[in-house]
Amino acid sequence: MRLNNLQKLMLNDLFKSTEGLYIYTLYNRYNSSPKELFLAIEVLTKMSLVKSDDERLTITTSGIEYAIKTYEVIKAKSNKLDGIQEKFSGPKIEINQFYIPKIIN
């Protein structure tokens, strides 16, 4: 079964946390509706990837194995400046420093 984006985010955050996370923390972090959050938690618990203890969610060993095997959860985020071509990058301009454009004919 494929996970949606919210479920991937939750599994990723739970994978990174040491003692699990509170449901309220997840609610504040994702700005999703309580219904969406509840459904995501329900799917993850049915798949036995996440364990719910009162108000705290923790990742199970099968959840850790799933996260490592699929690799889609733990992907390293790329730097947003990686896609900029070399000809468009230049020295960093400090505050109150003038910018003189380089004109190449």
Side-chain angles (χ1 to χ4, degrees), residues 26-83:
L26 296 173
Y27 172 73
N28 284 337
R29 193 173 288 183
Y30 304 135
N31 290 331
S32 62
S33 69
K35 179 183 177 182
E36 291 174 344
L37 189 67
F38 174 75
L39 291 175
I41 292 170
E42 187 176 3
V43 167
L44 290 174
T45 53
K46 282 184 181 178
M47 292 176 67
S48 70
L49 301 175
V50 172
K51 182 174 66 170
S52 176
D53 298 323
D54 295 327
E55 296 178 8
R56 185 182 293 263
L57 294 176
T58 55
I59 192 167
T60 61
T61 54
S62 61
I64 293 171
E65 291 172 5
Y66 179 82
I68 292 172
K69 283 182 184 176
T70 57
Y71 188 69
E72 64 185 19
V73 177
I74 316 165
K75 287 181 186 171
K77 294 185 179 181
S78 63
N79 188 1
K80 63 181 177 181
L81 302 178
D82 287 343

Side-chain angles (χ1 to χ4, degrees), residues 81-95:
L81 302 178
D82 287 343
I84 298 176
Q85 296 177 6
E86 184 65 33
K87 66 180 182 180
F88 295 118
S89 64
K92 183 177 178 181
I93 300 172
E94 300 297 327
I95 298 175

